[in-house]
Amino acid sequence: MKFLDLKHQFRDFTVFSLPDIRKAEPDFDVRRLVEWQEKGYIKKIVKNFYVFSDLEITESALFVIANAIYSPAYISLDMALSHYHLIPESVYGITAATTKKTATFHTHWGDFIYHSLKPELFFGYTPIPYLKQRYLMADIEKTLLDYFYLNPNLRTEADFAELRFNREELLSHLNQEKMRRYLTAFGNHALTQRVLNLLQFIRHADS
């Protein structure tokens, strides 16, 4: 396979992998990948995953990469809170939930940080198309639950205040029926109480 053939084959892909290439050419010589990196045609993200050097690195592109390099995973936690404008701070790294082990990958484009959840908690996300691929994004409700589930130290009004949630955004977009369903699926009384306390705090923050 020549580089122009690769470029044509995956021209609409944000990220492509060695297995992707071998689907198109089973006897592909991996030495080509080293050669194309040295020539500046492609960049390696992590083992077996690559992007074209001229890829425009947008937030959506980073989300597709995050979903691809450690699958199954969906964008959640700090990154999703920022994406939904629920917190004012910029977020360091792309955070995601996965059923695999907790892991962090340090790359040219920043850190990709994965937090492990039990398989039965891997729900509450929506597939978002981007070019010829897609990424999975947690719903607002699941983002909050993932965050509080993985941060059991967040209990008091002082803890909630430090998070500096965007009250208007949260109250206007939160689906409370969906939140109740998700809480039932977690089956965690302590989590339910902490989240209900958070919502009460946000509703009455200006009182």
Side-chain angles (χ1 to χ4, degrees):
M1 178 183 285
K2 296 179 180 179
F3 175 72
L4 288 179
D5 296 327
L6 178 84
K7 184 75 169 178
H8 177 75
Q9 184 86 17
F10 298 104
R11 62 188 181 278
D12 294 323
F13 278 52
T14 301
V15 55
F16 57 91
S17 66
L18 179 57
D20 291 332
I21 297 172
R22 287 210 159 125
K23 286 178 185 177
E25 186 173 306
D27 59 350
F28 176 76
D29 186 345
V30 295
R31 290 175 296 181
R32 297 284 79 77
L33 293 172
V34 176
E35 174 190 332
W36 295 336
Q37 287 178 78
E38 291 174 347
K39 290 182 176 180
Y41 297 162
I42 64 174
K43 292 181 179 179
K44 182 179 178 179
I45 309 167
V46 296
K47 183 179 180 180
N48 290 336
F49 287 91
Y50 304 86
V51 297
F52 292 114
S53 295
D54 60 358
L55 175 70
E56 180 184 3
I57 300 298
T58 63
E59 182 180 81
S60 294
L62 291 172
F63 292 169
V64 172
I65 291 169
N67 273 220
I69 66 174
Y70 202 62
S71 179
Y74 61 83
I75 306 301
S76 187
L77 304 158
D78 304 76
M79 187 70 248
L81 290 174
S82 177
H83 175 76
Y84 288 124
H85 307 294
L86 298 183
I87 56 174
E89 292 83 6
S90 298
V91 173
Y92 173 77
I94 306 297
T95 55
T98 181
T99 56
K100 292 183 176 180
K101 294 188 299 183
T102 293
T104 298
F105 297 92
H106 306 289
T107 78
H108 179 77
W109 300 275
D111 291 350
F112 293 85
I113 305 160
Y114 300 84
H115 296 269
S116 183
L117 291 178
K118 295 181 290 186
E120 57 266 34
L121 299 180
F122 197 82
F123 66 89
Y125 52 82
T126 301
I128 310 293
Y130 184 73
L131 299 179
K132 287 293 183 76
Q133 294 172 300
R134 67 176 190 172
Y135 60 89
L136 305 180
M137 171 64 71
D139 304 336
I140 285 180
E141 297 79 12
K142 189 56 161 50
T143 296
L144 284 171
L145 294 185
D146 287 348
Y147 191 84
F148 274 76
Y149 178 74
L150 291 169
N151 291 280
N153 56 303
L154 300 175
R155 300 174 179 275
T156 68
E157 290 191 356
D159 297 330
F160 304 154
E162 284 186 9
L163 295 172
R164 298 200 298 158
F165 278 125
N166 184 327
R167 179 176 178 271
E168 290 74 20
E169 284 289 324
L170 182 54
L171 292 179
S172 63
H173 292 99
L174 187 72
N175 183 322
Q176 298 200 33
E177 175 57 33
K178 184 187 291 186
M179 177 70 89
R180 283 192 290 271
R181 293 202 311 271
Y182 286 178
L183 279 168
T184 300
F186 271 82
N188 184 316
H189 176 74
L191 174 66
T192 297
Q193 191 58 57
R194 288 189 298 120
V195 171
L196 292 178
N197 289 345
L198 167 71
L199 296 179
Q200 182 177 20
F201 170 78
I202 289 174
R203 290 190 193 101
H204 301 291
D206 296 332
S207 300

